[in-house]
Amino acid sequence: MDETTSRPDAMPEPETAAALKDIRQTLSQLVGYHLRRASVYDMNGAVAALEPVDARPITMSVLTSIVEQPGRTSADICRMLAIKRANIVGLLQALEARGLFTRRDDPADQRLQRLYPTPEGVAAARQWLHLVQEHENRILSRLSLAERAELRRLLALVWADERAEEG
Amino acid sequence: MDETTSRPDAMPEPETAAALKDIRQTLSQLVGYHLRRASVYDMNGAVAALEPVDARPITMSVLTSIVEQPGRTSADICRMLAIKRANIVGLLQALEARGLFTRRDDPADQRLQRLYPTPEGVAAARQWLHLVQEHENRILSRLSLAERAELRRLLALVWADERAEEG
DNA sequence: ACAATATTGTTATGCAGCATAGCAGTCAAT
DNA sequence: ATTGACTGCTATGCTGCATAACAATATTGT
């Protein structure tokens, strides 16, 4: 750290492309760094993609869960999506107000409200999924179909332990 | 959505493992979903790994940037790490207070403060990197070395466009 | 030469996401 | 019958991150 670092003022070129590559030598060796950058980048696009239908990624995850698994409780969905029970309340209220699902008391256990999608909810879930898929096609345009599948597989392996622990 | 959905009460088994798999049929086809889950899972571990040395992932990224590219300005680092100039102020103040880097006014441009790591800063960056690498070995234990490299490559391709846009 | 525009480091401020703590009602176990 | 666990929910606080604005300085266009 002498030859390269001891140049306080000798740096003619503007801090553009060239500089941006070197710094990633250390950070870019970390999978977690790329994981974070890619995830944030993807999330920004997903939020934008769902904005026209007044939904967010978390909104879509919850509705999709209800559609895919009718009859689950809010606590179930919280466990599946790794969100807190306190934070799903508002999300469900909003979805319910839009008529996208209904609650039915469980006759056998009065604590539970089982959630069932309405036809409108199923349609909305389908539409939202479509929007997100379009976004994914954009963001994954540099990957082949095989690479996309491989990426999905590897990512699933990364957080597989989370499921094993308490999922 | 009839055969399977029209069973409001007939669900004897507890909402455990079996249920958790089906719901992911739709969500799990989305790369972005796994991206998000994996990133959050990884970040939690990274935060925990850096806690003993009183650092956070963003802290480490900033210090590492200074070490890797001595003489850069805070605005440079913000562009590289995609953070806002307003938000790096506190991070730099903390690192400076710990004596991990120093600022030197640029003689040619009085607006700029060029940042240089101290020997302590270099040592800290090395130590923090080591801790994060240990964490990564844990979280990526299910992947072979080749798979880890492939995952890193694919992730880099995902957010490559972000760099291309305004990098 | 000068006016318009841009950049730097910084402060102040607001908001959304997420977590914790606590509640009453209900169920299960011993 | 008591203890513990679970549900849905309210209240609340912290943190991360974004925007807006600032004075000082530099760059550009004409």
Side-chain angles (χ1 to χ4, degrees):
Chain A
M1 55 167 180
D2 5 10
E3 274 289 322
T4 51
T5 67
S6 58
R7 282 199 212 127
D9 32 287
M11 270 197 175
E13 67 273 285
E15 43 277 11
T16 42
L20 298 183
K21 287 189 176 177
D22 279 84
I23 199 173
R24 301 203 180 99
Q25 284 176 345
T26 296
L27 288 182
S28 74
Q29 81 183 256
L30 295 173
V31 173
Y33 175 69
H34 294 282
L35 205 44
R36 169 77 178 173
R37 294 298 297 264
S39 176
V40 170
Y41 183 58
D42 172 73
M43 281 292 288
N44 286 341
V47 167
L50 289 172
E51 213 159 60
V53 294
D54 197 42
R56 288 175 299 153
I58 185 63
T59 313
M60 179 201 163
S61 293
V62 170
L63 179 59
T64 300
S65 299
I66 296 174
V67 170
E68 287 288 309
Q69 291 231 334
R72 292 286 131 196
T73 68
S74 69
D76 290 338
I77 296 176
C78 285
R79 278 187 289 267
M80 291 186 288
L81 299 179
I83 60 182
K84 303 297 169 185
R85 267 174 305 149
N87 294 329
I88 205 180
V89 178
L91 300 174
L92 288 179
Q93 284 174 346
L95 290 173
E96 190 179 28
R98 296 170 69 173
L100 301 181
F101 81 96
T102 58
R103 316 186 193 220
R104 287 188 229 161
D105 291 342
D106 186 310
D109 189 335
Q110 299 195 354
R111 294 172 301 179
L112 311 183
Q113 301 176 349
R114 303 206 167 269
L115 312 181
Y116 298 91
T118 62
E120 293 82 10
V122 175
R126 227 189 297 271
Q127 181 194 20
W128 298 356
L129 174 65
H130 190 66
L131 291 175
V132 171
Q133 281 174 333
E134 282 182 342
H135 154 67
E136 286 218 339
N137 280 337
R138 255 175 274 136
I139 210 172
L140 299 179
S141 60
R142 297 185 182 227
L143 307 202
S144 70
L145 287 183
E147 284 173 328
R148 299 178 197 192
E150 177 69 356
L151 176 57
R152 190 173 35 201
R153 184 182 76 85
L154 294 174
L155 288 173
L157 282 175
V158 171
W159 65 283
D161 288 329
E162 190 180 48
R163 277 166 282 183
E165 286 167 12
E166 43 146 358
Chain B
M1 55 167 183
D2 5 11
E3 273 291 319
T4 52
T5 67
S6 59
R7 285 201 211 124
D9 30 288
M11 272 197 174
E13 70 272 284
E15 43 276 11
T16 44
L20 297 184
K21 286 188 177 176
D22 278 86
I23 201 174
R24 300 200 181 99
Q25 285 178 345
T26 295
L27 288 181
S28 75
Q29 80 183 254
L30 295 174
V31 172
Y33 175 69
H34 294 283
L35 204 43
R36 169 76 178 175
R37 295 297 297 264
S39 176
V40 169
Y41 184 57
D42 171 74
M43 281 293 288
N44 286 342
V47 167
L50 288 172
E51 212 159 60
V53 293
D54 198 41
R56 287 174 300 152
I58 186 62
T59 314
M60 179 201 162
S61 293
V62 170
L63 179 59
T64 300
S65 299
I66 297 175
V67 170
E68 288 287 310
Q69 291 233 332
R72 292 286 129 193
T73 68
S74 69
D76 290 338
I77 296 176
C78 285
R79 278 185 289 267
M80 292 186 286
L81 300 179
I83 60 183
K84 303 296 169 187
R85 290 201 316 277
N87 294 328
I88 205 179
V89 178
L91 300 173
L92 288 178
Q93 284 175 346
L95 290 172
E96 191 179 29
R98 295 170 70 171
L100 301 181
F101 82 96
T102 59
R103 316 183 193 223
R104 285 188 232 162
D105 292 341
D106 186 309
D109 189 336
Q110 299 193 354
R111 292 172 303 179
L112 311 182
Q113 301 178 348
R114 303 206 168 269
L115 312 182
Y116 299 91
T118 62
E120 294 82 10
V122 175
R126 226 189 298 271
Q127 181 195 20
W128 298 357
L129 174 64
H130 189 66
L131 291 174
V132 172
Q133 281 174 333
E134 282 181 344
H135 154 66
E136 286 218 338
N137 280 337
R138 255 174 275 135
I139 210 171
L140 299 179
S141 60
R142 298 186 182 225
L143 308 202
S144 69
L145 287 183
E147 285 173 328
R148 299 177 197 191
E150 177 70 357
L151 175 57
R152 190 172 36 202
R153 184 183 75 84
L154 295 174
L155 289 173
L157 282 175
V158 171
W159 65 283
D161 289 328
E162 188 181 47
R163 278 165 281 184
E165 287 168 11
E166 44 147 354

